[in-house]
Amino acid sequence: MANAETNNSKITIYVLSCWIFAAFGGLMFGYDIGISGGVSGMDDFLLKFFPHVYERKLHAKENNYCKYDDQLLQLFTSSLYLSALVASFFASKAATKLGRRPTIFMAALFFIGGAALSAAADNRWMLIFGRILFGIGVGFGNETVPLFLTEVAPIQHRGAVNILFQLFVTIGIFIANLVNYGTSMIHPNGWRMSLGFAAVPAMVLLIGSFVITDTPTSLIERGKEVQGKAALKKIRGVSDVEAEYQEIVAACEQAKQVKHPFRNLAKAASIPPLAIAILLQIFQQFTGINAIMFYAPVLFQTMGFKTDGSLLSSVITGLVNVGSTFVSIYLVDKVGRRKLLLQACCQMLISQVAIGAILVTNLRETGTLDKKLAAVVVLLVCTYVMSFAWSWGPLGWLIPSETFPLETRTAGFAFAVSTNMLFTSLIAQAFLTMLCTMQAYIFFFFSGWIVVMGFFVIFLLPETKGIPIDSMVESVWMKHPVWKKLF
């Protein structure tokens, strides 16, 4: 098996461009996460599509925690993730049969269609159908981009390269917060601009799909050995790639023996990476991050900020999110995956418990939070977002993309993506109702999950730093004190 020494590589302008263009799939996803909550809080948007929510928002004595509780308004956010869930399985087939690059191209096309329809929406169902198109684009992009980045990255930089996806997710969220802040002052169609601008990163991804190469693994897997070897030389920037090429060929030969990769996931040897992939996605959502990112403007309004102030607070948290992801890029291949995840569990737990304690003690159903305490809550949200951004955010995508053997890689990662979309949609659909029902105790709910996550890392999650992706079974799973029992 290859190792860091035998995998020769140079970081060339071309390979950098491949990484960056592909990572725009993350920017697409992040922009949509960030744009939804801001648009949901805009008066013009609510007046057009959810006038009863707008009336409730204006009601002076309305319950702080319940003024946005509306199932159809939540469907505006969650419908995207439900369609992405279904689309990820079709994307898995496309990525295997057609290649990674064409699947990325399709992701961009669907996303552009969603942006156009959403921006032109004149009724609720047109709006939600646009969200479904967005979701298909997200499903195809989130299935393919992390796999692409993992397969083209040299082993010694694999973690950092894969985290470019999450970095661009955070940049997308930040840009969306800035756009929302600007378009909220444009009446009555600022929300149309917010939704329509989603086409911009999709256009970059569309153009990029003509620039990037398909991955050597994908080409060789589809019987294109000559093109695969040429692509490997191109992305490594060196001519001596024989050791890595032979490793990929051997993995592809083994993969050909598996006729039904989804069925193969039920075998005992597939359980460890599949269980880890699924649990990582569930835990990533039950940190509460998307509840905060989707609805940050709404959440800050609940705490007493005016619309502009809440959007500005979202911009601040978005900036923290982007900056902290760079920490992960720097550290992930140095300190490893497990240490980052465990450190973040401690920091997120402290932040969530503190936020919950402040709100339980000081924010009643009516009235607002004291300005100083509101500022403390924003600071705590920032420390929470910070720790998530260098841990559970990027590593939730990195670890599943590197732990499956080639024969079940796209199928296994489809389960990871679909699980992420399922639980993202559940959180998106349920959060405002949970906020209304549980009020500030919702932060204690997420805190409890963070404790569970810490034990999961300690007992079940192996370290994958520096392990070749085609050596995971022998080097990781067969040596793990729990998972080795399945081999």
Side-chain angles (χ1 to χ4, degrees):
M1 286 295 175
N3 53 46
E5 285 71 40
T6 58
N7 279 353
N8 301 317
S9 64
K10 292 179 183 175
I11 298 178
T12 64
I13 296 295
Y14 177 74
V15 76
L16 277 173
S17 67
C18 284
W19 297 347
I20 291 168
F21 272 124
F24 263 85
L27 202 148
M28 274 190 343
F29 181 38
Y31 184 88
D32 192 84
I33 290 173
I35 218 71
S36 302
V39 167
S40 298
M42 290 183 188
D43 290 347
D44 293 322
F45 176 81
L46 292 174
L47 269 170
K48 184 166 183 65
F49 297 107
F50 306 96
H52 56 291
V53 178
Y54 176 73
E55 288 300 321
R56 196 188 308 163
K57 177 183 172 182
L58 292 180
H59 201 280
K61 294 185 179 178
E62 188 61 60
N63 188 320
N64 265 324
Y65 293 98
C66 297
K67 57 187 173 185
Y68 288 94
D69 179 22
D70 182 86
Q71 288 300 311
L72 202 56
L73 178 59
Q74 291 171 104
L75 184 61
F76 164 69
T77 298
S78 66
S79 56
L80 180 148
Y81 301 97
L82 291 170
S83 62
L85 186 161
V86 176
S88 63
F89 290 101
F90 291 97
S92 168
K93 287 286 186 186
T96 300
K97 300 294 184 186
L98 304 177
R100 314 309 192 230
R101 185 168 75 166
T103 312
I104 289 172
F105 172 80
M106 287 188 279
L109 278 184
F110 280 118
F111 210 81
I112 291 167
L117 191 59
S118 298
D122 206 43
N123 57 65
R124 288 178 178 179
W125 297 109
M126 193 174 172
L127 186 73
I128 288 170
F129 188 64
R131 299 290 292 168
I132 290 170
L133 285 180
F134 270 141
I136 297 172
V138 165
F140 272 66
N142 285 19
E143 164 69 19
T144 315
V145 170
L147 287 178
F148 176 91
L149 291 171
T150 293
E151 289 180 346
V152 300
I155 183 175
Q156 65 270 34
H157 302 303
R158 189 176 68 230
V161 172
N162 186 277
I163 289 171
L164 284 175
F165 175 76
Q166 181 66 18
L167 174 65
F168 275 63
V169 170
T170 64
I171 292 171
I173 293 170
F174 177 61
I175 291 172
N177 289 334
L178 286 176
V179 169
N180 279 337
Y181 184 64
T183 59
S184 67
M185 303 171 196
I186 301 172
H187 305 288
N189 292 314
W191 63 271
R192 292 188 189 276
M193 296 172 68
S194 287
L195 294 173
F197 284 153
V200 176
M203 285 298 298
V204 176
L205 186 67
L206 187 74
I207 294 165
S209 68
F210 291 100
V211 175
I212 64 177
T213 179
D214 211 333
T215 70
T217 299
S218 177
L219 290 164
I220 295 167
E221 185 181 25
R222 290 180 288 124
K224 300 180 179 181
E225 287 86 359
V226 175
Q227 296 98 313
K229 193 167 190 178
L232 188 59
K233 289 179 180 179
K234 199 170 184 181
I235 62 171
R236 292 292 177 257
V238 295
S239 57
D240 180 17
V241 295
E242 191 61 30
E244 188 176 2
Y245 173 73
Q246 291 301 331
E247 178 188 321
I248 295 171
V249 169
C252 289
E253 287 300 319
Q254 187 175 344
K256 284 178 184 175
Q257 308 307 313
V258 179
K259 302 300 181 187
H260 304 286
F262 280 98
R263 197 180 302 166
N264 207 56
L265 286 171
K267 293 184 177 178
S270 296
I271 289 174
L274 183 63
I276 292 295
I278 289 173
L279 286 170
L280 276 170
Q281 304 309 315
I282 294 171
F283 290 146
Q284 189 190 73
Q285 296 314 306
F286 277 95
T287 60
I289 186 64
N290 277 341
I292 286 176
M293 286 303 178
F294 287 145
Y295 299 114
V298 171
L299 195 61
F300 288 130
Q301 283 184 42
T302 292
M303 294 170 194
F305 289 86
K306 300 298 183 186
T307 301
D308 289 352
S310 67
L311 287 171
L312 185 58
S313 298
S314 300
V315 169
I316 293 167
T317 56
L319 190 57
V320 169
N321 199 13
V322 173
S324 301
T325 306
F326 283 101
V327 175
S328 189
I329 289 174
Y330 179 74
L331 290 178
V332 68
D333 291 315
K334 290 183 171 63
V335 304
R337 285 62 162 153
R338 281 166 51 91
K339 287 180 182 176
L340 284 175
L341 291 171
L342 286 171
Q343 184 281 330
C345 282
C346 297
Q347 190 167 325
M348 286 192 294
L349 180 63
I350 292 167
S351 301
Q352 291 264 33
V353 169
I355 292 169
I358 290 172
L359 297 187
V360 164
T361 310
N362 297 280
L363 185 65
R364 302 289 176 250
E365 291 185 357
T366 56
T368 59
L369 204 59
D370 174 78
K371 284 186 178 180
K372 289 181 180 176
L373 280 176
V376 171
V377 169
V378 172
L379 183 64
L380 286 168
V381 168
C382 286
T383 62
Y384 163 79
V385 168
M386 183 187 302
S387 54
F388 177 88
W390 63 54
S391 60
W392 290 87
L395 300 186
W397 297 107
L398 166 61
I399 294 170
S401 75
E402 65 183 2
T403 49
F404 285 100
L406 179 59
E407 58 266 27
T408 55
R409 191 171 297 157
T410 59
F413 199 69
F415 271 97
V417 173
S418 61
T419 302
N420 185 285
M421 296 299 109
L422 172 62
F423 281 86
T424 301
S425 67
L426 289 174
I427 293 292
Q429 187 65 31
F431 176 71
L432 295 179
T433 302
M434 289 169 70
L435 184 63
C436 179
T437 306
M438 299 172 72
Q439 300 189 358
Y441 291 97
I442 193 169
F443 291 97
F444 299 126
F445 169 80
F446 290 126
S447 297
W449 279 100
I450 290 170
V451 173
V452 174
M453 288 156 50
F455 284 110
F456 159 76
V457 174
I458 292 168
F459 294 109
L460 294 178
L461 188 70
E463 182 56 68
T464 51
K465 175 181 72 119
I467 308 293
I469 57 173
D470 293 311
S471 301
M472 289 291 170
V473 173
E474 301 88 348
S475 302
V476 173
W477 304 116
M478 294 178 89
K479 294 180 179 178
H480 190 271
V482 174
W483 298 118
K484 68 180 181 183
K485 297 170 185 174
L486 295 171
F487 293 88

